[in-house]
Amino acid sequence: MKVFWRFLLQKSLSQHWLKRVHYAVFGLGDSCYQKYNFVTKKLDKRLMDLGGKAILERGLGDDQQPSGYEGTLDPWLSSLWRMLNMIKPELLPSGPDVLIQDTTLIDQPKVQITYHNIENVVSHSSDTGSVRSMHPGKSSSNRNGYPDCFLKLVKNLPLTKPNSGKDVRHFEFEFVSHAIEYDTGDILEVLPGQDSAAVDAFIRRCNLDPDSLITVSPKGMDCNGHGSRMPVKLRTFVELTMDVASASPRRYFFEVMRFFATAEHERERLEYFASPEGRDDLYQYNQKERRTVLEVLKDFPSVQMPLEWLIQLVPMLKKREFSISSSQSSHPNQVHLTVSVVSWTTPYKRKKKGLCSSWLAALDPRDAVSLPVWFQKGSLPTPSPSLPLILVGPGTGCAPFRGFIEERALQSKTISIAPIIFFFGCWNEDGDFLYKDFWLNHSQNNGVLSESTGGGFYVAFSRDQPEKVYVQHKLREHSGRVWNLLAEGASVYIAGSLTKMPTDVTSAFEEIVSKENDVSKEDAVRWIRALEKCGKYHIEAWS
Ligand SMILES: Cc1cc2nc3c(=O)[nH]c(=O)nc-3n(C[C@H](O)[C@H](O)[C@H](O)COP(=O)(O)OP(=O)(O)OC[C@H]3O[C@@H](n4cnc5c(N)ncnc54)[C@H](O)[C@@H]3O)c2cc1C
């Protein structure tokens, strides 16, 4: 996409360049994000500016809608087919919707499997990389290939009290073989493990032989080609690439299932689910209840899908990203994470757990498990020691800032450093004040967060008093200090799990600039935007 976008931005392209091109843009967005469907809007505008003709108005999907982005996508697709039908009827299949009408289409999964007879089975852990790169149907999202390295868990400590209503853990990992260099603000990607019993249940349900040796490749490509490298046990393949017991399948899974249902009533139900009228019910049954592939297959016992289709349609087991919460200068052979263990209850009162966070929480350092991991740059660049910082990180948003402060504390021993003020937020002082001693230590005795060094540490306990107090309230309370540091050239870093927090915090900054600088709200908004443009206002938010 970056290459495509850069290409489209070339100055040499005239406003008639796409004169004969018809296009349609639909964005898969989430209105929780401040820059909701930003890419879609930019792309649409650029294509139009280059002379392209929009077939229909751009669609803006929103995952926050009651039936997800599909609520907007379905009617948009119907309009698209109608419009295309008007433009070039001879090129299109008949029918107003996107359902597969033709059973012959269903005979053609995009992957092929080769079965092998060799004895030489690759072991679980060293095989991860090659197995990960074997998922030919899903290669676009699989940019991982081999992991950067393997980590060994050495500490798994609770940071919250048992009755706090939250479970946040501090994890310490050590490099197993070679250490990878990382910077503060970087991201660690973790491939979660799956429940063994669930993997076995899936294999049994689908009548598969767990011990068969397979290679998987895109259809039409020989098995030594791009898709797979060496034969692997089917069970290992399922365990490391197919999310069978956590993620919900997409609607296409149900469309394909109906062709393999032998019981009439199951086929009818699947047909309904796959139809536009059944969309909302499917959304309630599937996504809202976070129904897993294993659960869906159990609900439709007559369906036997071939392995090729399962490989293509079962959601890929995805890596999860975590902000690294340590500084490598302070812990040369280690990586630390701060992880909130996700759990919730569905509308039908089914208890659900986040796959990766609950898997990590259950790991015991004594089990000596090796975790395949990848290191990535996130959206928080490593600050230089001379840069004043205003950090806002409620909850697990404090993770990257723990690394920043460790690093700066170390630097302060040898060079002069710029001040940092940090705004932290949690529910209660007693229950979920993550790393309390760490922050308090650094805000005393000339520590990097102490007022004597020009720093500061401010906490918002949202539930310790009748009215709610959040980080944005604390920012406003210390408006003068915040402005002084901004005027000295400070960079702003905001991190945390996505609610309205980044938007509310940005509004607080705008108010501060307006009040302290005695300028209009519009000027303050422009001021913060300029800060962002010159790379001094960073947000890393996750859902
Ligand atoms: C750049 C970045 C940095 C991150 N840093 C951190 C970090 O430092 N610490 C941290 O803890 N996390 C962090 N995350 C989030 C992390 O990657 C995972 O998303 C999180 O741990 C949950 O993963 P999981 O596998 O446990 O849950 P999943 O199995 O992925 O389940 C999570 C999904 O479950 C659903 N869900 C969750 N709660 C509810 C609910 N109440 N109601 C309905 N549905 C719900 C949502 O669809 C949600 O997306 C970061 C994410 C990004 C992108």
Side-chain angles (χ1 to χ4, degrees):
M1 184 64 195
K2 274 187 186 165
V3 175
F4 175 53
W5 182 238
R6 246 180 261 129
F7 184 84
L8 286 183
L9 287 184
Q10 290 175 102
K11 289 217 171 69
S12 58
L13 303 180
S14 83
Q15 58 193 33
H16 303 296
W17 187 63
L18 292 179
K19 205 169 139 200
R20 269 182 273 280
V21 174
H22 288 82
Y23 74 89
V25 178
F26 187 90
L28 305 177
D30 183 329
S31 58
C32 248
Y33 286 82
Q34 215 177 6
K35 292 187 176 170
Y36 166 60
N37 264 318
F38 183 69
V39 174
T40 316
K41 294 173 192 165
K42 292 278 264 192
L43 178 63
D44 182 37
K45 177 152 189 332
R46 185 62 184 152
L47 293 174
M48 212 182 314
D49 289 348
L50 292 173
K53 190 164 168 17
I55 296 168
L56 75 168
E57 205 180 320
R58 70 177 175 227
L60 300 181
D62 183 1
D63 237 0
Q64 294 302 316
Q65 276 194 2
S67 49
Y69 65 77
E70 281 174 350
T72 320
L73 179 61
D74 279 358
W76 185 88
L77 277 177
S78 299
S79 307
L80 177 66
W81 286 122
R82 251 197 322 276
M83 296 304 289
L84 287 173
N85 210 26
M86 277 157 62
I87 300 170
K88 282 245 178 239
E90 70 280 7
L91 294 182
L92 294 168
S94 58
D97 55 46
V98 289
L99 278 187
I100 301 166
Q101 306 294 349
D102 182 354
T103 42
T104 56
L105 286 176
I106 219 71
D107 295 325
Q108 314 198 355
K110 293 190 185 108
V111 303
Q112 65 190 17
I113 299 163
T114 312
Y115 290 85
H116 300 263
N117 279 325
I118 49 174
E119 300 299 325
N120 191 4
V121 176
V122 197
S123 77
H124 176 108
S125 64
S126 63
D127 197 28
T128 305
S130 69
V131 177
R132 295 293 293 154
S133 57
M134 276 173 73
H135 220 313
K138 295 157 186 181
S139 55
S140 59
S141 55
N142 180 13
R143 56 194 165 74
N144 33 319
Y146 290 93
D148 288 339
C149 66
F150 287 84
L151 294 179
K152 177 179 75 173
L153 177 68
V154 289
K155 267 188 196 158
N156 171 356
L157 303 171
L159 292 171
T160 42
K161 298 262 173 64
N163 56 358
S164 68
K166 287 187 184 172
D167 183 3
V168 181
R169 307 289 178 113
H170 171 74
F171 292 99
E172 294 185 6
F173 301 96
E174 274 177 8
F175 292 97
V176 172
S177 49
H178 60 291
I180 301 275
E181 270 183 33
Y182 65 86
D183 291 316
T184 53
D186 284 359
I187 301 288
L188 188 78
E189 294 182 335
V190 177
L191 181 72
Q194 299 200 75
D195 176 25
S196 251
V199 172
D200 291 335
F202 171 82
I203 288 172
R204 271 196 312 276
R205 163 63 184 83
C206 299
N207 285 332
L208 302 170
D209 172 6
D211 295 321
S212 56
L213 292 172
I214 57 168
T215 45
V216 182
S217 49
K219 195 149 207 153
M221 191 175 276
D222 84 57
C223 67
N224 295 322
H226 199 62
S228 59
R229 291 165 199 211
M230 57 180 90
V232 66
K233 267 193 178 186
L234 184 142
R235 191 188 183 288
T236 309
F237 185 88
V238 171
E239 189 182 9
L240 293 180
T241 73
M242 296 164 70
D243 188 335
V244 296
S246 165
S248 293
R250 311 293 316 171
R251 189 164 58 162
Y252 190 47
F253 188 81
F254 293 85
E255 286 186 35
V256 174
M257 259 174 93
R258 75 194 163 120
F259 289 100
F260 295 103
T262 49
E264 192 54 34
H265 66 285
E266 286 180 26
R267 200 176 26 242
E268 272 169 20
R269 189 157 173 236
L270 288 164
E271 217 138 273
Y272 170 69
F273 274 163
S275 70
E277 303 75 56
R279 187 196 64 220
D280 287 352
D281 283 343
L282 176 63
Y283 189 76
Q284 296 303 325
Y285 164 82
N286 187 40
Q287 281 105 312
K288 272 284 191 196
E289 284 301 307
R290 182 72 177 258
R291 206 76 62 169
T292 67
V293 166
L294 188 55
E295 287 170 338
V296 170
L297 288 172
K298 280 184 179 161
D299 281 352
F300 294 91
S302 82
V303 174
Q304 268 314 330
M305 286 217 256
L307 181 59
E308 284 85 347
W309 272 116
L310 290 168
I311 290 177
Q312 184 174 320
L313 296 182
V314 171
M316 190 176 94
L317 183 65
K318 283 194 297 197
K319 300 173 294 180
R320 271 46 172 192
E321 295 170 293
F322 295 96
S323 308
I324 294 176
S325 56
S326 50
S327 137
Q328 200 168 23
S329 318
S330 305
H331 312 275
N333 197 37
Q334 291 199 333
V335 186
H336 299 179
L337 298 183
T338 311
V339 178
S340 172
V341 183
V342 174
S343 64
W344 74 99
T345 308
T346 69
Y348 283 97
K349 307 275 175 268
R350 288 150 32 94
K351 298 258 179 272
K352 286 280 163 183
K353 291 191 289 190
L355 176 65
C356 190
S357 54
S358 56
W359 172 72
L360 283 170
L363 291 181
D364 186 328
R366 286 169 300 188
D367 294 343
V369 178
S370 278
L371 273 73
V373 295
W374 293 256
F375 288 81
Q376 300 289 347
K377 291 283 160 210
S379 23
L380 305 179
T382 313
S384 76
S386 58
L387 182 66
L389 296 175
I390 302 171
L391 311 176
V392 185
T396 47
C398 71
F401 306 143
R402 181 177 179 267
F404 282 14
I405 285 160
E406 279 190 339
E407 182 95 353
R408 229 172 240 197
L410 207 66
Q411 288 162 341
S412 71
K413 292 184 180 154
T414 49
I415 49 175
S416 80
I417 54 152
I420 306 183
I421 55 178
F422 174 37
F423 292 86
F424 176 71
C426 61
W427 284 357
N428 310 103
E429 182 167 11
D430 281 343
D432 59 336
F433 191 170
L434 315 179
Y435 301 115
K436 178 178 179 178
D437 294 342
F438 177 84
W439 312 120
L440 295 181
N441 282 341
H442 284 286
S443 48
Q444 290 155 7
N445 308 324
N446 297 327
V448 290
L449 294 175
S450 67
E451 298 206 353
S452 58
T453 62
F457 174 61
Y458 308 107
V459 201
F461 300 112
S462 64
R463 302 187 179 188
D464 272 350
Q465 59 286 306
E467 73 290 356
K468 293 275 193 294
V469 177
Y470 297 118
V471 276
Q472 59 268 28
H473 299 117
K474 288 284 160 189
L475 274 162
R476 287 194 192 97
E477 204 178 303
H478 297 279
S479 170
R481 292 221 56 203
V482 171
W483 171 249
N484 286 343
L485 219 54
L486 282 174
E488 279 175 38
S491 275
V492 174
Y493 284 73
I494 302 164
S497 112
L498 204 94
T499 45
K500 277 167 69 247
M501 187 275 288
T503 314
D504 291 343
V505 166
T506 301
S507 300
F509 273 110
E510 288 162 0
E511 271 174 43
I512 290 168
V513 172
S514 167
K515 178 181 148 204
E516 299 293 329
N517 218 4
D518 204 12
V519 294
S520 68
K521 187 77 201 298
E522 293 71 37
D523 282 347
V525 169
R526 271 195 288 277
W527 200 91
I528 294 292
R529 247 186 236 146
L531 200 66
E532 191 179 353
K533 274 210 165 133
C534 70
K536 297 187 98 178
Y537 194 88
H538 310 280
I539 301 179
E540 182 135 272
W542 55 85
S543 58

